Amino acid sequence: MDLSVEIGSLKLANPLMAASGCYGYGVEYAEAVDLRSLGAVVSKGLFLKPREGHPPERIVETPSGMLNAIGLQGIGVHRYIAEKLPELRRLGATNVINICGSTLDEYVELARILSDAEGVHALEINISCPNIKEGGITFGCSLHGTFDVVSAIKKVTHLPVIPKLTPNVTDVASIAKAAEDAGADAVSLVNTFLAMAIDVESRRPKLSNIVGGLSGPAIRPIAVRMVYECRRAVKIPIIGMGGIATATDALEFMIAGATAVQVGTANFVDPFIWTKLIDGMEAYMTRHRMSRIADLVGTVDTSTREKQWVSS
Ligand SMILES: Cc1cc2nc3c(=O)[nH]c(=O)nc-3n(C[C@H](O)[C@H](O)[C@H](O)COP(=O)(O)O)c2cc1C
């Protein structure tokens, strides 16, 4: 059975990646999980400098999901390269680094620095974090902003460039197209949905940041729809995510058009989820007499539904 997939020049042993911000820097899980059994580990979002993030409360549980406003707390790129990458190399992980900037120059500088570091396999460009005021999502909410960040980064790196898109736009497919036009090797989607929760007794927002990003199973059907729309708009590979908690969920994203998938919030519920996902995928392939998981990508059959739609 062949579970491997290709994201541009990046070859993954299987389509399952740990999503940014939900798996630390990867090394924290190494005692519990063989990182080589994951398609890739996506790092927590890195800025040039360390950041403290927002004060608590930063996480709130919501029906079928969670709301977070961490504010991109992180150790910064230099400490990541010095302290985390050597261990990740030793562990044999495939490392995708999630980078965040307040300005275009910061993104370019981060891409330059990481391109010279040994053990970095791809860059995921975070132009979609809803929890910071400056930069980031401001780029990801506009066609020009997306195009400019991606094309500037492409000029300074040989690594695959994967902009991560926000769902907080009217037409995510047009943003994916702008990324493709700028030379992106793939796109990943979705980041979290802007959301809010209020404590009715105190009448205060539950998060210190007032608003945050919603993730988990609550967002899955919206994320699947967005992957499906992007698949129709671009030719580059799509990495899908949003509420994946079972093999069936992961397969749904692949059938909608994702070549690979990321698992975020579900890690907080079950850190050992990976073997269950792999086993479930293999069982599906056996049941459907498939030898290559890559053959599943984008195979959603809408033909009969479209006919029903036209005739009703
Ligand atoms: C606590 C937390 C921290 C996150 N941090 C980042 C981050 O640093 N960079 C990023 O691109 N996405 C970040 N995300 C978004 C996830 O990577 C993912 O896009 C989103 O949660 C949807 O997937 P899920 O429903 O499987 O969690 C974070 C999500 C959560 C819940």
Side-chain angles (χ1 to χ4, degrees):
M1 245 179 240
D2 181 3
L3 283 174
S4 68
V5 293
E6 290 177 16
I7 306 290
S9 59
L10 180 66
K11 298 200 183 350
L12 305 182
N14 65 61
L16 302 171
M17 308 166 69
S20 180
C22 304
Y23 217 63
Y25 297 106
V27 290
E28 297 86 342
Y29 285 83
E31 270 184 33
V33 175
D34 177 3
L35 297 186
R36 272 172 301 209
S37 67
L38 275 61
V41 174
V42 186
S43 74
K44 171 68 189 164
L46 288 173
F47 274 86
L48 281 171
K49 297 203 173 114
R51 281 171 65 100
E52 284 204 351
H54 296 310
E57 295 286 326
R58 310 200 294 185
I59 286 186
V60 172
E61 225 176 299
T62 56
S64 298
M66 71 185 252
L67 201 50
N68 92 83
I70 305 295
L72 289 172
Q73 177 184 354
I75 59 174
V77 72
H78 297 290
R79 270 186 63 197
Y80 175 83
I81 290 172
E83 295 172 21
K84 309 294 179 190
L85 254 190
E87 182 65 358
L88 288 163
R89 279 201 302 269
R90 196 186 64 74
L91 293 163
T94 298
N95 302 306
V96 176
I97 317 302
N98 183 281
I99 61 170
C100 323
S102 307
T103 63
L104 193 75
D105 290 346
E106 273 182 39
Y107 280 104
V108 170
E109 183 64 11
L110 277 158
R112 258 205 197 105
I113 293 169
L114 285 160
S115 302
D116 291 338
E118 196 191 331
V120 176
H121 298 96
L123 299 175
E124 184 174 64
I125 318 302
N126 183 355
I127 46 171
S128 45
C129 178
N131 296 324
I132 53 165
K133 288 191 183 66
E134 70 286 4
I137 196 168
T138 328
F139 292 107
C141 280
S142 102
L143 299 174
H144 288 298
T146 302
F147 184 92
D148 290 349
V149 174
V150 175
S151 49
I153 291 174
K154 279 296 287 184
K155 287 192 187 107
V156 299
T157 187
H158 59 279
L159 294 167
V161 172
I162 310 168
K164 180 166 175 180
L165 309 187
T166 175
N168 299 299
V169 291
T170 316
D171 182 11
V172 71
S174 64
I175 305 273
K177 184 75 176 67
E180 181 177 57
D181 290 346
D185 298 273
V187 285
S188 61
L189 64 142
V190 295
N191 209 315
T192 54
F193 287 75
L194 260 178
M196 185 176 184
I198 299 171
D199 180 308
V200 296
E201 295 305 323
S202 65
R203 303 190 208 173
R204 288 184 169 179
K206 290 189 177 174
L207 291 170
S208 72
N209 190 52
I210 304 177
V211 295
L214 184 66
S215 62
I219 69 171
R220 194 171 59 240
I222 319 178
V224 170
R225 186 262 297 172
M226 289 183 165
V227 165
Y228 171 70
E229 287 176 350
C230 288
R231 181 69 287 146
R232 288 153 68 111
V234 298
K235 294 197 172 56
I236 50 176
I238 295 169
I239 302 172
M241 80 202 84
I244 293 174
T246 65
T248 306
D249 303 339
L251 293 162
E252 187 183 9
F253 273 89
M254 295 187 77
I255 293 167
T259 299
V261 295
Q262 294 184 14
V263 179
T265 302
N267 283 295
F268 301 121
V269 182
D270 179 6
F272 303 105
I273 190 167
W274 305 101
T275 42
K276 293 167 201 160
L277 295 178
I278 297 268
D279 290 351
M281 281 186 157
E282 287 182 346
Y284 179 90
M285 289 169 74
T286 306
R287 223 165 49 245
H288 289 266
R289 296 198 171 82
M290 294 179 68
S291 57
R292 295 176 65 235
I293 195 78
D295 292 340
L296 194 64
V297 176
T299 54
V300 59
D301 177 7
T302 55
S303 56
T304 53
R305 301 291 184 212
E306 275 162 9
K307 276 186 212 131
Q308 281 169 6
W309 177 256
V310 170
S311 59
S312 64

